[in-house]
Structure formats: structure tokens, C-alpha cells
Short mmCIF file of all heavy atoms in Angstrom, two decimals:
data_model
loop_
_atom_site.label_atom_id
_atom_site.label_comp_id
_atom_site.label_asym_id
_atom_site.label_seq_id
_atom_site.Cartn_x
_atom_site.Cartn_y
_atom_site.Cartn_z
N MET D 1 -25.78 44.91 95.84
CA MET D 1 -26.57 43.60 95.57
C MET D 1 -26.89 43.58 94.10
O MET D 1 -27.48 44.51 93.55
CB MET D 1 -27.75 43.64 96.41
CG MET D 1 -28.25 42.17 96.62
SD MET D 1 -29.84 42.25 97.45
CE MET D 1 -29.41 41.83 99.09
N ASN D 2 -26.41 42.48 93.48
CA ASN D 2 -26.74 42.49 92.10
C ASN D 2 -28.09 41.85 91.76
O ASN D 2 -28.80 41.41 92.69
CB ASN D 2 -25.53 41.63 91.31
CG ASN D 2 -25.55 40.21 91.71
OD1 ASN D 2 -26.42 39.77 92.39
ND2 ASN D 2 -24.43 39.64 91.32
N LEU D 3 -28.59 41.89 90.54
CA LEU D 3 -29.79 41.35 90.18
C LEU D 3 -30.14 39.94 90.54
O LEU D 3 -31.18 39.52 90.93
CB LEU D 3 -30.07 41.72 88.67
CG LEU D 3 -31.39 41.33 88.07
CD1 LEU D 3 -32.50 42.04 88.88
CD2 LEU D 3 -31.43 41.44 86.67
N MET D 4 -29.08 39.12 90.26
CA MET D 4 -29.29 37.67 90.53
C MET D 4 -29.45 37.41 92.01
O MET D 4 -30.26 36.59 92.37
CB MET D 4 -27.98 37.01 90.01
CG MET D 4 -28.22 35.40 90.11
SD MET D 4 -29.65 35.00 89.08
CE MET D 4 -29.00 33.71 88.18
N SER D 5 -28.80 38.12 92.92
CA SER D 5 -29.04 37.98 94.37
C SER D 5 -30.36 38.31 94.70
O SER D 5 -31.03 37.59 95.56
CB SER D 5 -28.03 38.85 95.07
OG SER D 5 -26.79 38.38 94.89
N ARG D 6 -30.95 39.47 94.31
CA ARG D 6 -32.23 39.87 94.50
C ARG D 6 -33.30 38.91 94.11
O ARG D 6 -34.27 38.57 94.83
CB ARG D 6 -32.54 41.26 93.90
CG ARG D 6 -31.81 42.41 94.51
CD ARG D 6 -32.30 43.75 93.83
NE ARG D 6 -31.34 44.82 94.25
CZ ARG D 6 -31.39 46.01 93.84
NH1 ARG D 6 -32.27 46.31 93.03
NH2 ARG D 6 -30.68 46.82 94.37
N LEU D 7 -33.13 38.31 92.93
CA LEU D 7 -34.03 37.32 92.40
C LEU D 7 -34.07 36.06 93.29
O LEU D 7 -35.07 35.50 93.53
CB LEU D 7 -33.78 37.02 91.01
CG LEU D 7 -34.05 38.08 89.85
CD1 LEU D 7 -33.56 37.61 88.59
CD2 LEU D 7 -35.58 38.37 89.97
N MET D 8 -32.81 35.64 93.66
CA MET D 8 -32.66 34.48 94.50
C MET D 8 -33.35 34.67 95.88
O MET D 8 -34.03 33.79 96.42
CB MET D 8 -31.28 34.11 94.62
CG MET D 8 -30.60 33.51 93.38
SD MET D 8 -31.38 32.12 92.66
CE MET D 8 -30.84 30.81 93.77
N ILE D 9 -33.14 35.80 96.43
CA ILE D 9 -33.73 36.08 97.76
C ILE D 9 -35.36 36.23 97.52
O ILE D 9 -35.98 35.64 98.48
CB ILE D 9 -33.27 37.41 98.29
CG1 ILE D 9 -31.67 37.10 98.73
CG2 ILE D 9 -33.97 37.86 99.53
CD1 ILE D 9 -30.89 38.40 99.17
N GLY D 10 -35.84 36.84 96.58
CA GLY D 10 -37.08 36.99 96.24
C GLY D 10 -37.78 35.59 96.13
O GLY D 10 -38.75 35.32 96.70
N ALA D 11 -37.18 34.73 95.39
CA ALA D 11 -37.72 33.43 95.19
C ALA D 11 -37.76 32.57 96.39
O ALA D 11 -38.62 31.90 96.72
CB ALA D 11 -36.95 32.70 94.09
N GLY D 12 -36.81 32.76 97.31
CA GLY D 12 -36.71 32.02 98.58
C GLY D 12 -37.77 32.58 99.44
O GLY D 12 -38.48 31.63 100.14
N VAL D 13 -38.10 33.78 99.57
CA VAL D 13 -39.11 34.29 100.43
C VAL D 13 -40.40 33.87 99.91
O VAL D 13 -41.39 33.43 100.65
CB VAL D 13 -38.96 35.87 100.54
CG1 VAL D 13 -40.25 36.49 101.15
CG2 VAL D 13 -37.76 36.39 101.22
N ALA D 14 -40.70 33.95 98.54
CA ALA D 14 -41.94 33.61 98.03
C ALA D 14 -42.21 32.09 98.25
O ALA D 14 -43.25 31.54 98.60
CB ALA D 14 -42.02 33.95 96.50
N GLY D 15 -41.12 31.18 98.00
CA GLY D 15 -41.28 29.82 98.34
C GLY D 15 -41.62 29.49 99.75
O GLY D 15 -42.40 28.60 100.05
N SER D 16 -40.96 30.27 100.71
CA SER D 16 -41.28 29.92 102.13
C SER D 16 -42.64 30.34 102.41
O SER D 16 -43.31 29.62 103.24
CB SER D 16 -40.29 30.77 102.93
OG SER D 16 -38.96 30.41 102.71
N LEU D 17 -43.21 31.53 101.90
CA LEU D 17 -44.56 31.91 102.22
C LEU D 17 -45.57 30.94 101.64
O LEU D 17 -46.57 30.53 102.32
CB LEU D 17 -44.79 33.39 101.59
CG LEU D 17 -44.12 34.42 102.37
CD1 LEU D 17 -44.32 35.78 101.60
CD2 LEU D 17 -44.75 34.64 103.71
N LEU D 18 -45.25 30.46 100.49
CA LEU D 18 -46.16 29.45 99.92
C LEU D 18 -46.20 28.02 100.55
O LEU D 18 -47.30 27.53 100.91
CB LEU D 18 -45.85 29.13 98.43
CG LEU D 18 -46.61 28.29 97.62
CD1 LEU D 18 -48.00 28.78 97.37
CD2 LEU D 18 -46.01 28.02 96.22
N THR D 19 -45.04 27.76 100.97
CA THR D 19 -44.87 26.34 101.72
C THR D 19 -45.58 26.63 103.13
O THR D 19 -46.30 25.60 103.51
CB THR D 19 -43.36 26.02 101.95
OG1 THR D 19 -42.76 25.89 100.70
CG2 THR D 19 -43.35 24.70 102.70
N GLY D 20 -45.36 27.72 103.82
CA GLY D 20 -46.04 27.84 105.04
C GLY D 20 -47.58 28.00 104.99
O GLY D 20 -48.28 27.42 105.77
N GLY D 21 -47.95 28.59 103.88
CA GLY D 21 -49.60 28.58 103.67
C GLY D 21 -50.15 27.22 103.46
O GLY D 21 -51.14 26.87 103.88
N VAL D 22 -49.37 26.45 102.64
CA VAL D 22 -49.87 25.03 102.36
C VAL D 22 -49.94 24.23 103.55
O VAL D 22 -50.81 23.46 103.90
CB VAL D 22 -49.00 24.36 101.27
CG1 VAL D 22 -49.43 22.93 101.09
CG2 VAL D 22 -49.13 25.11 99.90
N ILE D 23 -48.81 24.27 104.38
CA ILE D 23 -48.74 23.52 105.59
C ILE D 23 -49.82 23.96 106.57
O ILE D 23 -50.50 23.27 107.25
CB ILE D 23 -47.33 23.64 106.20
CG1 ILE D 23 -46.38 22.89 105.41
CG2 ILE D 23 -47.39 23.07 107.68
CD1 ILE D 23 -44.99 23.05 105.82
N GLY D 24 -50.01 25.31 106.74
CA GLY D 24 -51.07 25.76 107.62
C GLY D 24 -52.45 25.43 107.16
O GLY D 24 -53.26 25.02 108.03
N ALA D 25 -52.73 25.49 105.84
CA ALA D 25 -54.11 25.04 105.38
C ALA D 25 -54.26 23.56 105.58
O ALA D 25 -55.38 23.11 105.88
CB ALA D 25 -54.14 25.38 103.94
N THR D 26 -53.25 22.76 105.46
CA THR D 26 -53.32 21.41 105.68
C THR D 26 -53.68 20.97 107.05
O THR D 26 -54.49 20.07 107.37
CB THR D 26 -52.01 20.72 105.26
OG1 THR D 26 -51.81 20.96 103.82
CG2 THR D 26 -52.11 19.06 105.29
N ILE D 27 -53.14 21.63 108.03
CA ILE D 27 -53.23 21.41 109.39
C ILE D 27 -54.52 21.93 109.96
O ILE D 27 -55.34 21.30 110.52
CB ILE D 27 -52.06 21.84 110.22
CG1 ILE D 27 -50.84 21.11 109.92
CG2 ILE D 27 -52.40 21.76 111.79
CD1 ILE D 27 -49.65 21.67 110.53
N ALA D 28 -54.73 23.29 109.63
CA ALA D 28 -55.89 23.92 110.18
C ALA D 28 -57.27 23.73 109.28
O ALA D 28 -58.28 23.99 109.95
CB ALA D 28 -55.54 25.43 110.39
N GLY D 29 -57.21 23.54 108.07
CA GLY D 29 -58.22 23.41 107.28
C GLY D 29 -59.30 22.27 107.69
O GLY D 29 -60.52 22.64 107.92
N PRO D 30 -59.00 21.11 107.92
CA PRO D 30 -59.86 20.12 108.34
C PRO D 30 -60.48 20.36 109.84
O PRO D 30 -61.62 20.00 110.00
CB PRO D 30 -59.16 18.88 108.42
CG PRO D 30 -58.08 19.05 107.47
CD PRO D 30 -57.64 20.52 107.51
N LEU D 31 -59.66 21.03 110.64
CA LEU D 31 -60.14 21.32 111.93
C LEU D 31 -61.35 22.28 111.96
O LEU D 31 -62.31 22.14 112.60
CB LEU D 31 -59.08 21.86 112.89
CG LEU D 31 -57.90 20.85 113.08
CD1 LEU D 31 -56.78 21.60 113.85
CD2 LEU D 31 -58.29 19.60 113.90
N GLY D 32 -61.23 23.32 111.16
CA GLY D 32 -62.27 24.34 111.06
C GLY D 32 -63.49 23.86 110.43
O GLY D 32 -64.62 24.07 110.72
N VAL D 33 -63.34 22.97 109.36
CA VAL D 33 -64.58 22.32 108.64
C VAL D 33 -65.32 21.28 109.64
O VAL D 33 -66.47 21.38 109.67
CB VAL D 33 -64.05 21.58 107.40
CG1 VAL D 33 -65.20 20.92 106.72
CG2 VAL D 33 -63.56 22.72 106.34
N SER D 34 -64.53 20.54 110.24
CA SER D 34 -65.14 19.51 111.23
C SER D 34 -65.79 20.16 112.35
O SER D 34 -66.95 19.78 112.79
CB SER D 34 -64.12 18.36 111.63
OG SER D 34 -63.31 19.00 112.50
N ALA D 35 -65.30 21.22 112.78
CA ALA D 35 -66.00 21.97 113.96
C ALA D 35 -67.34 22.56 113.46
O ALA D 35 -68.33 22.55 114.15
CB ALA D 35 -65.06 22.97 114.60
N ALA D 36 -67.25 23.19 112.39
CA ALA D 36 -68.49 23.81 111.83
C ALA D 36 -69.52 22.76 111.52
O ALA D 36 -70.71 22.97 111.69
CB ALA D 36 -68.17 24.73 110.61
N THR D 37 -69.12 21.75 110.83
CA THR D 37 -70.04 20.77 110.29
C THR D 37 -70.62 19.91 111.48
O THR D 37 -71.89 19.74 111.53
CB THR D 37 -69.37 19.75 109.44
OG1 THR D 37 -68.59 20.54 108.37
CG2 THR D 37 -70.19 18.63 108.85
N SER D 38 -69.91 19.49 112.55
CA SER D 38 -70.38 18.70 113.50
C SER D 38 -71.46 19.41 114.38
O SER D 38 -72.40 18.82 114.73
CB SER D 38 -69.27 18.16 114.33
OG SER D 38 -68.61 19.16 115.10
N SER D 39 -71.33 20.58 114.64
CA SER D 39 -72.26 21.34 115.45
C SER D 39 -73.54 21.49 114.62
O SER D 39 -74.67 21.30 115.29
CB SER D 39 -71.70 22.75 115.90
OG SER D 39 -71.58 23.48 114.74
N SER D 40 -73.52 21.71 113.44
CA SER D 40 -74.76 21.95 112.69
C SER D 40 -75.38 20.65 112.34
O SER D 40 -76.72 20.59 112.44
CB SER D 40 -74.56 22.72 111.31
OG SER D 40 -73.77 21.95 110.45
N ALA D 41 -74.59 19.61 112.13
CA ALA D 41 -75.25 18.31 111.91
C ALA D 41 -75.82 17.74 113.12
O ALA D 41 -76.92 17.17 112.95
CB ALA D 41 -74.07 17.30 111.38
N ALA D 42 -75.21 17.94 114.30
CA ALA D 42 -75.87 17.51 115.58
C ALA D 42 -77.11 18.28 115.73
O ALA D 42 -78.08 17.75 116.31
CB ALA D 42 -74.86 17.70 116.64
N ALA D 43 -77.30 19.44 115.48
CA ALA D 43 -78.50 20.32 115.62
C ALA D 43 -79.51 19.73 114.74
O ALA D 43 -80.63 19.80 115.23
CB ALA D 43 -78.14 21.73 115.47
N THR D 44 -79.39 19.38 113.51
CA THR D 44 -80.31 19.03 112.57
C THR D 44 -80.68 17.61 112.72
O THR D 44 -81.90 17.22 112.49
CB THR D 44 -79.93 19.28 111.13
OG1 THR D 44 -78.71 18.45 110.95
CG2 THR D 44 -79.69 20.69 110.83
N ALA D 45 -79.85 16.73 113.44
CA ALA D 45 -80.17 15.32 113.55
C ALA D 45 -80.84 15.02 114.81
O ALA D 45 -81.21 13.95 115.08
CB ALA D 45 -78.85 14.54 113.38
N ALA D 46 -80.98 16.00 115.59
CA ALA D 46 -81.50 15.75 117.00
C ALA D 46 -83.03 15.43 116.80
O ALA D 46 -83.78 16.09 116.03
CB ALA D 46 -81.42 16.96 117.85
N SER D 47 -83.36 14.42 117.59
CA SER D 47 -84.94 14.09 117.61
C SER D 47 -85.54 14.59 118.74
O SER D 47 -84.78 14.93 119.79
CB SER D 47 -84.97 12.57 117.44
OG SER D 47 -84.44 11.93 118.56
N PRO D 48 -86.86 14.59 118.93
CA PRO D 48 -87.43 14.99 120.10
C PRO D 48 -87.04 14.23 121.47
O PRO D 48 -86.81 14.85 122.46
CB PRO D 48 -89.00 14.87 119.86
CG PRO D 48 -89.10 14.76 118.39
CD PRO D 48 -87.82 14.28 117.89
N ALA D 49 -86.81 12.99 121.30
CA ALA D 49 -86.25 12.20 122.32
C ALA D 49 -84.85 12.67 122.78
O ALA D 49 -84.62 12.67 123.98
CB ALA D 49 -86.23 10.67 122.10
N ALA D 50 -84.08 12.98 121.87
CA ALA D 50 -82.63 13.42 122.20
C ALA D 50 -82.83 14.89 122.88
O ALA D 50 -81.87 15.22 123.71
CB ALA D 50 -81.86 13.36 121.06
N ALA D 51 -83.64 15.66 122.52
CA ALA D 51 -83.83 17.03 122.98
C ALA D 51 -84.06 17.12 124.43
O ALA D 51 -83.75 17.97 125.13
CB ALA D 51 -84.88 17.88 122.16
N SER D 52 -84.85 16.06 125.03
CA SER D 52 -85.16 16.05 126.42
C SER D 52 -83.93 15.55 127.19
O SER D 52 -84.05 15.66 128.45
CB SER D 52 -86.40 15.13 126.62
OG SER D 52 -86.00 13.77 126.25
N GLY D 53 -82.82 15.09 126.63
CA GLY D 53 -81.66 14.69 127.33
C GLY D 53 -81.63 13.23 127.59
O GLY D 53 -80.60 12.78 127.99
N THR D 54 -82.52 12.42 127.32
CA THR D 54 -82.42 10.96 127.47
C THR D 54 -82.87 10.25 126.11
O THR D 54 -83.88 10.77 125.44
CB THR D 54 -83.32 10.47 128.64
OG1 THR D 54 -84.68 10.85 128.29
CG2 THR D 54 -82.90 10.97 129.95
N PHE D 55 -82.29 9.19 125.92
CA PHE D 55 -82.54 8.47 124.65
C PHE D 55 -83.48 7.25 125.15
O PHE D 55 -83.13 6.50 126.01
CB PHE D 55 -81.36 7.96 123.94
CG PHE D 55 -81.67 6.99 122.78
CD1 PHE D 55 -82.20 7.48 121.64
CD2 PHE D 55 -81.33 5.74 123.00
CE1 PHE D 55 -82.36 6.57 120.70
CE2 PHE D 55 -81.62 4.72 121.92
CZ PHE D 55 -82.17 5.21 120.83
N VAL D 56 -84.55 7.00 124.37
CA VAL D 56 -85.42 5.90 124.73
C VAL D 56 -85.46 5.08 123.41
O VAL D 56 -85.90 5.51 122.38
CB VAL D 56 -86.79 6.33 125.00
CG1 VAL D 56 -87.75 5.20 125.32
CG2 VAL D 56 -86.78 7.37 126.21
N SER D 57 -84.89 3.75 123.51
CA SER D 57 -84.96 2.91 122.38
C SER D 57 -86.21 2.22 122.10
O SER D 57 -87.08 2.17 122.95
CB SER D 57 -84.01 1.89 122.55
OG SER D 57 -84.27 0.94 123.48
N ASN D 58 -86.54 1.98 120.82
CA ASN D 58 -87.79 1.35 120.35
C ASN D 58 -87.55 -0.15 120.53
O ASN D 58 -86.79 -0.70 119.74
CB ASN D 58 -88.08 1.78 118.94
CG ASN D 58 -89.34 1.31 118.37
OD1 ASN D 58 -90.00 0.61 119.08
ND2 ASN D 58 -89.77 1.59 117.33
N GLU D 59 -88.27 -0.68 121.42
CA GLU D 59 -88.08 -2.12 121.77
C GLU D 59 -89.17 -2.99 121.21
O GLU D 59 -89.43 -4.13 121.59
CB GLU D 59 -87.96 -2.38 123.23
CG GLU D 59 -86.76 -1.68 123.78
CD GLU D 59 -85.39 -2.27 123.23
OE1 GLU D 59 -85.35 -3.51 123.07
OE2 GLU D 59 -84.42 -1.54 123.29
N THR D 60 -90.04 -2.53 120.35
CA THR D 60 -91.16 -3.16 119.75
C THR D 60 -90.54 -4.47 118.94
O THR D 60 -89.52 -4.34 118.32
CB THR D 60 -92.09 -2.42 119.00
OG1 THR D 60 -91.36 -1.96 117.82
CG2 THR D 60 -92.74 -1.36 119.71
N ALA D 61 -91.29 -5.45 118.80
CA ALA D 61 -90.90 -6.73 118.10
C ALA D 61 -90.47 -6.36 116.53
O ALA D 61 -89.67 -6.81 115.97
CB ALA D 61 -91.74 -7.81 118.23
N ALA D 62 -91.49 -5.52 116.04
CA ALA D 62 -91.24 -5.28 114.56
C ALA D 62 -90.01 -4.47 114.35
O ALA D 62 -89.30 -4.74 113.40
CB ALA D 62 -92.46 -4.45 114.21
N HIS D 63 -89.65 -3.50 115.18
CA HIS D 63 -88.47 -2.74 115.12
C HIS D 63 -87.15 -3.49 115.39
O HIS D 63 -86.27 -3.56 114.62
CB HIS D 63 -88.50 -1.61 116.11
CG HIS D 63 -87.20 -0.77 116.11
ND1 HIS D 63 -86.98 0.10 115.27
CD2 HIS D 63 -86.28 -0.80 116.98
CE1 HIS D 63 -85.75 0.67 115.46
NE2 HIS D 63 -85.35 0.16 116.58
N GLU D 64 -87.28 -4.38 116.35
CA GLU D 64 -86.07 -5.15 116.73
C GLU D 64 -85.65 -6.25 115.60
O GLU D 64 -84.65 -6.52 115.36
CB GLU D 64 -86.41 -6.07 118.00
CG GLU D 64 -86.45 -5.08 119.34
CD GLU D 64 -85.17 -4.41 119.56
OE1 GLU D 64 -84.20 -4.99 119.55
OE2 GLU D 64 -85.15 -3.18 119.81
N ALA D 65 -86.76 -6.70 114.83
CA ALA D 65 -86.50 -7.65 113.77
C ALA D 65 -85.74 -7.21 112.73
O ALA D 65 -84.93 -7.83 112.04
CB ALA D 65 -87.90 -8.28 113.40
N GLY D 66 -85.88 -5.83 112.47
CA GLY D 66 -85.29 -5.30 111.35
C GLY D 66 -83.96 -4.39 111.55
O GLY D 66 -83.40 -3.89 110.73
N GLU D 67 -83.48 -4.48 112.84
CA GLU D 67 -82.34 -3.71 113.11
C GLU D 67 -80.98 -4.52 113.25
O GLU D 67 -81.05 -5.76 113.50
CB GLU D 67 -82.44 -2.82 114.30
CG GLU D 67 -82.41 -3.48 115.56
CD GLU D 67 -82.69 -2.59 116.79
OE1 GLU D 67 -83.13 -1.33 116.57
OE2 GLU D 67 -82.45 -3.03 117.91
N SER D 68 -79.85 -3.98 112.88
CA SER D 68 -78.55 -4.75 113.02
C SER D 68 -78.16 -4.80 114.37
O SER D 68 -78.61 -4.20 115.42
CB SER D 68 -77.52 -3.87 112.20
OG SER D 68 -77.25 -2.67 112.86
N ALA D 69 -77.19 -5.78 114.57
CA ALA D 69 -76.54 -5.99 115.86
C ALA D 69 -75.75 -4.83 116.37
O ALA D 69 -75.90 -4.42 117.62
CB ALA D 69 -75.57 -7.15 115.87
N ALA D 70 -75.07 -3.97 115.53
CA ALA D 70 -74.42 -2.79 115.96
C ALA D 70 -75.45 -1.67 116.45
O ALA D 70 -75.18 -1.03 117.42
CB ALA D 70 -73.70 -2.19 114.80
N ARG D 71 -76.56 -1.58 115.78
CA ARG D 71 -77.57 -0.66 116.22
C ARG D 71 -78.13 -0.97 117.64
O ARG D 71 -78.36 -0.24 118.47
CB ARG D 71 -78.71 -0.44 115.22
CG ARG D 71 -79.76 0.56 115.66
CD ARG D 71 -80.86 0.70 114.59
NE ARG D 71 -81.76 1.66 114.94
CZ ARG D 71 -81.81 2.90 114.53
NH1 ARG D 71 -80.88 3.29 113.62
NH2 ARG D 71 -82.69 3.76 114.86
N GLU D 72 -78.43 -2.29 117.79
CA GLU D 72 -78.96 -2.79 119.06
C GLU D 72 -77.87 -2.57 120.21
O GLU D 72 -78.36 -2.15 121.26
CB GLU D 72 -79.30 -4.24 118.98
CG GLU D 72 -79.90 -4.82 120.26
CD GLU D 72 -81.12 -4.30 120.59
OE1 GLU D 72 -81.94 -3.69 119.70
OE2 GLU D 72 -81.41 -4.31 121.78
N ALA D 73 -76.62 -2.72 119.88
CA ALA D 73 -75.62 -2.40 120.94
C ALA D 73 -75.53 -1.07 121.26
O ALA D 73 -75.32 -0.77 122.45
CB ALA D 73 -74.23 -2.96 120.21
N GLN D 74 -75.73 -0.09 120.41
CA GLN D 74 -75.77 1.31 120.68
C GLN D 74 -77.03 1.66 121.50
O GLN D 74 -76.84 2.41 122.47
CB GLN D 74 -75.73 2.17 119.38
CG GLN D 74 -74.48 2.15 118.83
CD GLN D 74 -74.35 2.98 117.50
OE1 GLN D 74 -75.31 3.15 116.79
NE2 GLN D 74 -73.31 3.68 117.23
N GLU D 75 -78.11 1.01 121.09
CA GLU D 75 -79.42 1.30 121.92
C GLU D 75 -79.16 0.74 123.37
O GLU D 75 -79.63 1.42 124.24
CB GLU D 75 -80.51 0.68 121.27
CG GLU D 75 -81.06 1.32 119.99
CD GLU D 75 -82.23 0.80 119.36
OE1 GLU D 75 -82.76 -0.30 119.93
OE2 GLU D 75 -82.65 1.28 118.29
N ASN D 76 -78.65 -0.46 123.49
CA ASN D 76 -78.50 -1.01 124.83
C ASN D 76 -77.59 -0.10 125.71
O ASN D 76 -77.56 -0.23 126.84
CB ASN D 76 -78.04 -2.44 124.73
CG ASN D 76 -79.08 -3.29 124.17
OD1 ASN D 76 -80.24 -2.97 124.21
ND2 ASN D 76 -78.59 -4.54 123.64
N ALA D 77 -76.65 0.45 124.99
CA ALA D 77 -75.58 1.41 125.72
C ALA D 77 -76.19 2.75 126.07
O ALA D 77 -75.51 3.51 126.72
CB ALA D 77 -74.33 1.52 124.94
N GLY D 78 -77.37 2.99 125.61
CA GLY D 78 -77.99 4.39 125.92
C GLY D 78 -77.68 5.35 124.91
O GLY D 78 -77.76 6.55 125.22
N GLN D 79 -77.11 4.92 123.80
CA GLN D 79 -76.60 5.84 122.99
C GLN D 79 -77.54 6.14 121.75
O GLN D 79 -78.34 5.30 121.46
CB GLN D 79 -75.24 5.44 122.29
CG GLN D 79 -74.11 5.25 123.35
CD GLN D 79 -72.95 4.65 122.63
OE1 GLN D 79 -72.97 4.18 121.57
NE2 GLN D 79 -71.81 4.64 123.25
N MET D 80 -77.53 7.29 121.20
CA MET D 80 -78.35 7.63 119.96
C MET D 80 -77.69 6.75 118.76
O MET D 80 -76.59 6.93 118.49
CB MET D 80 -78.33 9.03 119.58
CG MET D 80 -79.15 9.41 118.44
SD MET D 80 -80.83 9.10 118.46
CE MET D 80 -81.34 10.49 119.29
N PRO D 81 -78.43 5.88 118.19
CA PRO D 81 -77.92 5.05 117.14
C PRO D 81 -77.40 5.86 115.92
O PRO D 81 -78.06 6.75 115.52
CB PRO D 81 -79.10 4.11 116.86
CG PRO D 81 -79.98 4.10 117.91
CD PRO D 81 -79.83 5.50 118.52
N THR D 82 -76.15 5.57 115.44
CA THR D 82 -75.66 6.13 114.29
C THR D 82 -75.61 5.29 113.16
O THR D 82 -75.04 5.55 112.09
CB THR D 82 -74.31 6.70 114.68
OG1 THR D 82 -73.44 5.62 115.16
CG2 THR D 82 -74.35 7.79 115.71
N VAL D 83 -75.89 3.93 113.33
CA VAL D 83 -75.79 3.01 112.23
C VAL D 83 -77.15 2.50 111.84
O VAL D 83 -77.97 2.47 112.74
CB VAL D 83 -74.82 1.79 112.68
CG1 VAL D 83 -73.35 2.22 112.82
CG2 VAL D 83 -75.30 1.04 113.97
N PRO D 84 -77.36 2.07 110.65
CA PRO D 84 -78.75 1.57 110.32
C PRO D 84 -79.05 0.21 110.86
O PRO D 84 -78.36 -0.55 111.35
CB PRO D 84 -78.68 1.58 108.75
CG PRO D 84 -77.24 1.79 108.41
CD PRO D 84 -76.60 2.23 109.54
#
């Protein structure tokens, strides 16, 4: 095997490893980050009402006057509001 063949094979192997690493990081990177972020974000965003297992919306007139239709729809569905 001459020197040029060795260089070509080495470059091919290095290129394949680099390409595989980039593809793997592209596919698996966001999955690992979102799994770690969502569990800690959910733990810190929990309120005392959510910790008991049920969500109780605030139906006072002052609160209702200042909230958006999207938030009211989430409250009516029994969901923890995620929109202002």
C-alpha cells in the first residue's frame, strides 16, 4: 500500500467519523436537553394548587378582567395556564 492510498483511506475514515458525530449530535442533542429542562422547569413552576393534584382557577372579577381569552380557555379546561 503506497502513501497516497493510506492518506485517502485515513481521510475517508476521519470524514465518516466526523459526519456520524455531527448527525448523532443533531438528532440526540435536543432530546437530552429538552428532557432535562422540562423536568426541572416543571418542578420549579409548580404552585401549591398544582402540588395537590388539582388546579383551581381564580374566578374573581378583578382577575377575570385582566386575563386573555387563551388563559381563560386553559382555566376552563382545568389546565394550569401557560399564557399570560
Side-chain angles (χ1 to χ4, degrees):
M1 201 188 259
N2 63 14
L3 181 61
M4 190 58 135
S5 296
R6 287 184 188 178
L7 290 175
M8 293 300 287
I9 290 172
V13 169
S16 296
L17 287 172
L18 183 63
T19 302
V22 168
I23 291 172
T26 302
I27 293 171
L31 297 176
V33 170
S34 66
T37 304
S38 64
S39 64
S40 65
T44 57
S47 67
S52 65
T54 57
F55 172 73
V56 180
S57 67
N58 185 353
E59 297 296 330
T60 62
H63 174 77
E64 293 295 314
E67 75 181 12
S68 66
R71 182 179 181 98
E72 180 63 24
Q74 286 181 329
E75 288 181 1
N76 290 341
Q79 300 173 346
M80 176 67 77
T82 58
V83 293

